[in-house]
Amino acid sequence: MRILINLLKHIDYSMYEVLPMAVTADVLLAVAVRPRDGEHGPVNFSLANMQSEKFEPRTFEIPPNGDIDIDASSHEWSNYFKSGLKGALSLLREQKNDESFVPASMDVIVDGTVPSGGGLSSSAAFVCASALAVMKVNGSKKIDRKDLVELAVVSERAVGVNSGGMDQAASVFSARGSALYVSFTPSLSARAIEIPRTEPDMTFVVAQSFVAADKHVSAPVCYNLRVVECSLAAEVMAKKIGLTRPLPKDEAPLGVSLRGLHDSYFEEREGISDNHKTPVPEFQEQLENLVKLTKEHLTQTQGYTREDVCDILGISSDDLNSRYMSKFPVRAESFLLQQRALHVFTEAIRVLKFMALLTSPFDDSEHLLKSMGSILNETQTSCREIYDCSCPEIDELCQLAREAGAYGSRLTGAGWGGCSVHLVPQDKVDAVKQAWERDYYRKHFPDISEEKLAEAVVINPPLEATVPTVQSFFTPINILLLSFVLYLSYRRLFPSTPATSGTGPNAATQPAPTVFKTYTPRTLLPLNGHKDATLNPTGMVCLAIRGKVYDVTPGRSFYGPGGPYANFAGRDASRGLACGSFDDDMLTEDLDGPLFPLDRLNEEEQEALNGWEDMFGGKYLCVGRLVAADDAVEDVVERGKEQGEQQQQQQQVGERDSKAI
């Protein structure tokens, strides 16, 4: 399972959209199935870690029909495997419609390239990998990614942490070379966002502070406390602004969230029927209004005591503890509600702004990089001064990086230590690394080994997997496409005079037109990036969305063989992209049958598909249309009629112009 950096964070458990990105570090599991001791014997598990000096081997057993015992009060590495096992077993029993289903015994070896407590979501990756391994071992051939994420989110909470869901979604859905836009309402969805190419090249660098940031250890006064403060901020704000209905129950760790407050307020006060459908510009305005409301109504900047909260909500101290502080351990006597709400609302705004920068056309790379860096710097300031989840070591790493040439820096992970992430131009990476080594690592850890120093910094250029290299870009098909684009640009800037007939020196020569073809699922299939002397001699990569066929060869490392979206190459990708699923059953099974009826998609899926269509339409050349096999002949006839009419019109214009001359 992939490890991630979160570009913008601490709002997933408030049910707002987040924008993480996977890095090259990972967690790996090797699994062997062990025969059980008799049909009714216990199920045995043996766990070993390649870092055995830090994580000692563990064995445990579960009764055939019993639950998995997890002691959340114990800081035990095997608890994360147990939580994945627990979630997977629950899903397996549901899928098999058999509450007595007994899983196989397993021997497991765990390895990985990320330090625990480093703020790179190793725990989420471990839980997801554990659940996936259990599902596979016990016969699951197709595992829906959304189901895996949802079970992993709930499962990790069994170790005593108010997990929000971003870490698990990024571990499962992320594609190398892209950021991931994750939404939690009205249901979980994830969309890969390609990182744009810039000059100089954009590089994300991760630096380890070597300050342990284990959520389990610090949760009662750090992570879990922030979750409680955000939930209480939502409840108190609802009372202060006079909402007439209780906040809706949602998938937040404590059942209510600031996003629930957000939607309830505008649906009740402005008559919006469903705030999930509000366009992004209006949604951002709503967030800005909520920032003002927070300052107006949560006025106790020194914090709200337990008694204050109880008085506002009209509940007893026992009710407060039972409702908000019994599910996960929390230690606090006062709660900084204004500060926590302000961070969440402003961070949600920053996510929208960062997303807009990634997906909008740009002419000035320097301006884009500075704008992205500014957002990262703003969120670090908010984490340090408002959300109070940074630490002096992280602040120092960020300051050193900026002084050495980074555009922006911030903590990543839960905070309170761990790692930091930095947006650095490629030509400044060495300078930033040298500044850290000289002024941070050698200064604070004078005895640091060369091996540990090498592990302290992870350079993650997101474009290495998504942007073709110089050699791979100049393929015949790309040269053809580039020539065509240049020709169109030239013709637009310098329109020619009407062509004259004849073969003399003044006769205009017309370039060969681009062929706009009609494809069926069967004739599109060979355009999957694999060269075929007859059907695809150049290794062209195409896919279809909403009946339009796009040539995505320039992004072949993303959509072609071996890429994260390779299963869509040569296929109708509409349903899979709309549903956020890579499963084979998302693809057209009968290549000679009808296309999937897109009117069967729900509103959320239609909206997701709209976003993909806009992205492909603005980035790749549309080279044809996709129709069902039965409609192909009729479509060709209609296209022939259109072309004939166009040619007749052009001939009439030419004759009229000739007479005028």
Side-chain angles (χ1 to χ4, degrees):
M1 282 294 163
R2 305 175 182 90
I3 306 300
L4 67 106
I5 54 176
N6 40 353
L7 300 177
L8 299 147
K9 163 71 173 171
H10 269 301
I11 59 176
D12 54 337
Y13 49 77
S14 289
M15 305 302 287
Y16 280 104
E17 289 75 10
V18 289
L19 200 64
M21 184 176 72
V23 297
T24 52
D26 52 28
V27 170
L28 304 173
L29 269 63
V31 179
V33 179
R34 188 199 309 176
R36 287 178 59 201
D37 297 330
E39 183 179 351
H40 300 291
V43 181
N44 297 294
F45 293 87
S46 173
L47 306 180
N49 197 300
M50 294 298 290
Q51 300 179 46
S52 56
E53 70 285 353
K54 186 174 182 180
F55 304 104
E56 295 182 359
R58 293 286 185 260
T59 60
F60 66 94
E61 64 178 42
I62 60 173
N65 299 319
D67 199 2
I68 296 141
D69 181 34
I70 301 175
D71 181 6
S73 64
S74 171
H75 183 216
E76 167 57 49
W77 76 275
S78 62
N79 279 350
Y80 294 98
F81 177 85
K82 290 180 180 179
S83 65
L85 168 63
K86 183 174 184 176
L89 182 55
S90 175
L91 184 58
L92 283 165
R93 287 173 171 170
E94 178 183 332
Q95 290 178 344
K96 297 176 183 293
N97 195 25
D98 181 5
E99 287 299 319
S100 63
F101 172 76
V102 180
S105 294
M106 297 167 59
D107 293 330
V108 181
I109 298 178
V110 182
D111 195 9
T113 56
V114 65
S116 63
L120 296 181
S121 303
S122 58
S123 61
F126 188 15
V127 171
C128 290
S130 301
L132 181 61
V134 173
M135 297 287 288
K136 282 289 187 181
V137 162
N138 288 280
S140 291
K141 298 188 185 313
K142 292 184 178 181
I143 301 172
D144 185 85
R145 296 184 184 218
K146 183 177 177 181
D147 289 342
L148 179 60
V149 170
E150 290 175 341
L151 79 84
V153 171
V154 175
S155 298
E156 190 173 348
R157 292 173 184 170
V159 301
V161 177
N162 270 317
S163 178
M166 180 196 74
D167 298 354
Q168 295 81 3
S171 293
V172 172
F173 284 110
S174 285
R176 190 177 183 182
S178 66
L180 191 73
Y181 186 66
V182 184
S183 301
F184 302 97
T185 57
S187 63
L188 175 67
S189 64
R191 179 156 62 99
I193 306 298
E194 289 188 71
I195 304 295
R197 183 69 182 264
T198 59
E199 180 60 43
D201 284 339
M202 183 191 312
T203 305
F204 287 96
V205 183
V206 179
Q208 167 72 280
S209 70
F210 293 122
V211 176
D214 195 292
K215 286 191 290 189
H216 182 278
V217 174
S218 61
V221 293
C222 295
Y223 191 89
N224 285 352
L225 177 57
R226 294 298 177 276
V227 176
V228 169
E229 287 177 314
C230 289
S231 297
L232 288 178
E235 295 276 31
V236 170
M237 275 276 285
K239 288 288 186 179
K240 289 279 191 177
I241 61 182
L243 292 184
T244 60
R245 296 188 297 272
L247 293 182
K249 296 296 180 183
D250 54 30
E251 296 301 316
L254 297 177
V256 292
S257 65
L258 285 165
R259 176 61 186 269
L261 167 74
H262 178 159
D263 294 334
S264 296
Y265 177 80
F266 288 98
E267 288 172 0
E268 181 174 317
R269 294 297 175 86
E270 297 191 6
I272 298 174
S273 60
D274 183 356
N275 203 49
H276 296 121
K277 300 177 183 178
T278 299
V280 170
E282 288 83 351
F283 192 82
Q284 184 170 324
E285 289 181 9
Q286 292 179 353
L287 286 165
E288 291 165 352
N289 288 333
L290 286 170
V291 170
K292 297 176 184 177
L293 287 172
T294 300
K295 294 177 180 178
E296 292 173 3
H297 294 283
L298 297 181
T299 55
Q300 295 180 209
T301 57
Q302 298 304 310
Y304 290 76
T305 65
R306 289 173 178 258
E307 292 74 18
D308 293 333
V309 173
C310 290
D311 289 343
I312 294 169
L313 300 183
I315 60 176
S316 67
S317 179
D318 289 342
D319 287 338
L320 180 68
N321 290 330
S322 174
R323 192 178 303 177
Y324 300 100
M325 295 171 224
S326 62
K327 190 174 181 181
F328 301 98
V330 173
R331 295 196 302 271
E333 294 303 319
S334 64
F335 309 95
L336 298 176
L337 304 188
Q338 186 202 76
Q339 291 89 327
R340 308 321 181 210
L342 285 177
H343 173 80
V344 170
F345 293 141
T346 56
E347 188 80 339
I349 293 172
R350 286 187 284 270
V351 168
L352 297 179
K353 290 181 177 179
F354 206 92
M355 179 72 168
L357 290 173
L358 291 179
T359 56
S360 300
F362 65 94
D363 297 320
D364 186 345
S365 289
E366 182 73 10
H367 181 265
L368 172 68
L369 291 168
K370 285 183 176 179
S371 298
M372 293 172 65
S374 177
I375 292 175
L376 295 181
N377 292 334
E378 287 174 13
T379 194
Q380 174 60 19
T381 300
S382 184
C383 286
R384 182 182 65 248
E385 299 179 1
I386 300 178
Y387 215 66
D388 192 24
C389 63
S390 188
C391 68
E393 293 82 359
I394 291 290
D395 297 337
E396 185 176 356
L397 283 169
C398 292
Q399 184 61 35
L400 288 171
R402 292 170 191 149
E403 291 173 354
Y407 287 106
S409 302
R410 63 149 296 172
L411 62 85
T412 187
W416 299 283
C419 287
S420 53
V421 60
H422 311 265
L423 176 59
V424 185
Q426 184 65 42
D427 56 0
K428 296 290 186 181
V429 170
D430 287 340
V432 171
K433 286 181 63 180
Q434 290 168 10
W436 285 334
E437 180 177 349
R438 180 184 64 248
D439 298 326
Y440 182 81
Y441 294 116
R442 298 292 186 189
K443 174 182 173 183
H444 293 287
F445 311 99
D447 298 326
I448 189 171
S449 67
E450 292 299 322
E451 181 182 5
K452 191 169 184 179
L453 187 62
E455 295 173 351
V457 177
V458 177
I459 300 172
N460 191 61
L463 292 177
E464 65 178 3
T466 60
V467 176
T469 62
V470 173
Q471 291 85 351
S472 66
F473 180 82
F474 288 102
T475 60
I477 185 62
N478 285 346
I479 293 174
L480 175 62
L481 292 174
L482 180 60
S483 301
F484 178 68
V485 171
L486 291 174
Y487 169 76
L488 289 180
S489 301
Y490 175 82
R491 298 297 288 174
R492 178 165 293 185
L493 290 171
F494 305 103
S496 63
T497 57
T500 60
S501 60
T503 58
N506 295 325
T509 58
Q510 299 296 327
T514 298
V515 179
F516 187 91
K517 297 180 62 176
T518 295
Y519 295 91
T520 69
R522 185 171 297 279
T523 59
L524 180 64
L525 187 61
L527 303 184
N528 56 14
H530 295 286
K531 288 186 178 181
D532 181 284
T534 303
L535 301 176
N536 191 5
T538 63
M540 189 176 184
V541 186
C542 290
L543 58 79
I545 299 177
R546 273 217 178 98
K548 297 177 182 178
V549 177
Y550 294 96
D551 180 359
V552 296
T553 309
R556 67 176 299 116
S557 57
F558 203 75
Y559 303 102
Y565 287 79
N567 62 323
F568 292 143
R571 306 301 296 267
D572 182 1
S574 303
R575 187 183 179 195
L577 293 175
C579 299
S581 173
F582 296 84
D583 293 343
D584 290 340
D585 57 9
M586 293 286 109
L587 303 174
T588 304
E589 184 174 355
D590 183 0
L591 298 180
D592 298 315
L595 303 181
F596 177 79
L598 296 181
D599 56 3
R600 286 169 53 183
L601 298 175
N602 61 36
E603 292 185 6
E604 180 186 352
E605 292 164 345
Q606 293 280 4
E607 184 177 352
L609 188 58
N610 289 340
W612 282 106
E613 187 177 17
D614 289 344
M615 189 275 283
F616 277 90
K619 188 166 186 176
Y620 297 110
L621 189 66
C622 180
V623 295
R625 68 179 71 186
L626 180 71
V627 300
D630 289 345
D631 300 329
V633 174
E634 181 180 346
D635 187 80
V636 170
V637 171
E638 290 299 320
R639 292 287 297 168
K641 290 181 179 178
E642 293 176 6
Q643 292 175 358
E645 292 173 356
Q646 292 173 358
Q647 291 174 356
Q648 186 176 6
Q649 291 173 357
Q650 291 172 356
Q651 183 178 359
Q652 292 173 350
V653 170
E655 291 174 353
R656 184 179 66 247
D657 291 345
S658 297
K659 291 178 180 179
I661 293 173

